[in-house]
C-alpha cells in the first residue's frame, strides 16, 4: 500500500528551482533509498516530507505531497513531524542523560506515568540496537556515548514518539564501518513497523538496505525501481554512470 504520494512536485529557494516535476510513490514498510550527486535535491525532497523546508522563508513549492492521501500542508506541522520523524547526518543528542534523551518526546506528548515512560524508553532503545550497550548507565550523559551510539540514541528518541515514517538524511556519514552496520541493521528491522526513506551518498549502503532506489540528478527523478534492478540493469545511462562512479 502507498504511504506517501508525490505529484507534479517542484521546489524553489528564491529563484533557484531545486526540484522539478517529481512523480513518486513511497510504499508502507519499505526502505526507499535515494541516491544522487551533491546538489541533486535529495535532502530538499526529504525535508519536504515533514515540512522542515518551511523554516526557510525563501522556500516555496508547487504540486502535491500527500501522507496517506492528505496534503502535508494541511496537517498541523507539529502533528506531521510526530508522524514523520527525522534522523540527521550528525547525531544531535540533548544535553541530558541517555534515559531523558529518549523520554523527552514521550513527556512532551503528555505521558506522565513513570512506568509507561520507562517501558517506552527500553523498547525504543532496543529497536535502536542500543539497549544492551547502555542499560546499566541510563543516567549518564548522552555526550559520553560514541558517535555511533549517539546516532542510535537519536534513532531511539525518534522511535519513542511512535512515528509512521522515519526519514534518514545521511545517518552514517560520520560513522565507522561497525557503527554503520549497526545502524543499517536497525533500519532493516524497523521497516517491519515503519516506512523508511534514506538519503545516502553511499551507493553500497543504498544497495544493502534499500527495497527500492531512486536516482536524483539535477533536481529531477531520473529513475526509481527495485534496488537490484537499479544496480544491475538500470534503464537510464546516467544512473549506470553514477553507480559506476563515472561522476558525482
Amino acid at each position: 500500500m502507498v504511504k506517501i504520494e508525490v505529484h507534479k512536485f517542484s521546489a524553489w529557494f528564491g529563484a533557484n528551482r531545486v526540484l522539478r516535476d517529481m512523480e513518486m510513490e513511497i510504499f508502507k514498510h519499505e526502505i526507499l533509498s535515494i541516491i544522487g550527486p551533491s546538489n541533486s535535491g535529495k535532502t530538499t525532497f526529504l525535508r519536504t516530507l515533514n515540512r522542515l523546508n518551511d523554516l526557510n522563508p525563501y522556500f516555496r513549492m508547487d504540486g502535491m505531497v500527500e501522507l496517506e492521501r492528505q496534503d502535508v500542508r494541511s496537517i498541523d506541522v507539529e502533528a506531521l513531524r510526530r508522524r514523520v520523524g527525522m534522523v540527521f547526518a550528525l547525531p544531535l543528542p540533548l544535553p541530558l542523560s541517555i534515559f531523558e534523551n529518549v523520554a523527552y518526546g514521550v513527556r512532551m506528548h503528555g505521558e506522565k506515568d513513570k512506568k509507561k515512560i520507562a517501558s517506552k524508553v527500553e523498547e525504543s532503545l532496543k529497536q535502536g540496537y542500543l539497549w544492551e550497550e547502555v542499560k546499566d548507565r541510563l543516567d549518564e550523559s548522552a555526550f559520553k556515548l560514541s558517535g555511533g551510539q549517539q546516532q542510535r540514541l537519536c534513532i531511539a528518541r525518534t522511535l519513542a514518539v511512535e512515528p509512521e515514517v522515519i526519514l534518514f538524511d545521511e545517518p552514517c556519514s560520520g560513522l565507522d564501518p561497525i557503527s554503520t552496520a549497526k545502524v543499517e541493521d536497525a533500519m532493516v528491522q524497523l521497516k517491519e513497523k515503519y516506512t523508511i526513506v534514506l538519503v545516502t551518498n553511499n551507493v553500497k549502503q543504498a544497495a544493502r538496505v534499500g527495497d527500492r532506489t531512486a536516482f536524483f540528478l539535477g533536481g529531477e527523478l531520473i529513475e526509481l525501481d527495485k534496488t537490484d534492478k537499479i544496480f544491475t540493469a538500470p534503464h537510464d545511462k546516467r544512473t549506470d554512470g553514477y553507480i559506476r562512479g563515472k561522476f558525482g
Side-chain angles (χ1 to χ4, degrees), residues 11-235:
W12 290 261
F13 289 105
N16 182 29
R17 189 175 189 177
V18 294
L19 291 168
R20 182 184 301 272
D21 299 328
M22 290 273 173
E23 293 280 344
M24 184 187 302
E25 292 181 339
I26 300 171
F27 303 136
K28 290 183 178 180
H29 306 300
E30 78 165 342
I31 299 176
L32 175 67
S33 297
I34 301 178
I35 60 173
S38 298
N39 300 313
S40 58
K42 305 186 300 295
T43 294
T44 296
F45 175 79
L46 201 68
R47 292 168 67 94
T48 299
L49 301 180
N50 67 349
R51 290 176 54 189
L52 276 179
N53 289 322
D54 292 7
L55 299 172
N56 187 316
Y58 299 103
F59 175 78
R60 64 185 177 92
M61 60 173 276
D62 280 345
M64 188 73 70
V65 177
E66 295 180 321
L67 175 63
E68 293 195 332
R69 299 295 180 114
Q70 188 175 5
D71 187 341
V72 296
R73 290 171 291 186
S74 72
I75 304 173
D76 173 79
V77 70
E78 293 303 321
L80 176 66
R81 290 175 188 161
R82 180 175 180 175
R83 294 175 67 188
V84 185
M86 190 161 188
V87 177
F88 298 91
L90 294 176
L92 299 169
L94 301 170
L96 301 169
S97 70
I98 295 167
F99 181 94
E100 289 300 333
N101 259 269
V102 183
Y104 180 82
V106 183
R107 295 189 203 277
M108 287 292 289
H109 289 293
E111 184 58 69
K112 296 179 181 179
D113 187 300
K114 290 183 178 179
K115 288 185 178 180
K116 289 183 179 179
I117 292 171
S119 176
K120 178 55 67 174
V121 169
E122 180 177 344
E123 177 190 351
S124 301
L125 286 169
K126 285 178 176 177
Q127 286 184 310
Y129 274 52
L130 188 58
W131 174 252
E132 292 299 324
E133 297 168 44
V134 302
K135 63 183 180 182
D136 296 324
R137 52 187 181 123
L138 295 174
D139 292 332
E140 287 186 12
S141 168
F143 295 131
K144 290 187 177 181
L145 298 175
S146 69
Q149 289 173 325
Q150 287 185 15
Q151 189 63 295
R152 282 178 282 142
L153 179 67
C154 291
I155 293 171
R157 191 175 68 202
T158 298
L159 296 174
V161 297
E162 300 181 350
E164 300 166 30
V165 179
I166 308 173
L167 312 176
F168 287 91
D169 188 12
E170 289 288 341
C172 303
S173 60
L175 303 185
D176 61 81
I178 293 175
S179 295
T180 294
K182 289 183 178 180
V183 171
E184 290 177 359
D185 287 344
M187 282 191 280
V188 171
Q189 293 298 317
L190 289 171
K191 75 175 182 180
E192 294 181 8
K193 291 187 176 182
Y194 309 95
T195 298
I196 294 175
V197 186
L198 166 68
V199 162
T200 179
N201 285 326
N202 184 336
V203 294
K204 292 182 179 179
Q205 181 176 69
R208 285 193 295 267
V209 303
D211 297 295
R212 295 189 302 150
T213 296
F215 173 54
F216 284 23
L217 181 64
E220 296 185 24
L221 172 60
I222 303 301
E223 191 166 352
L224 192 164
D225 210 331
K226 291 181 178 180
T227 294
D228 57 355
K229 184 75 176 296
I230 287 284
F231 280 86
T232 58
H235 290 296

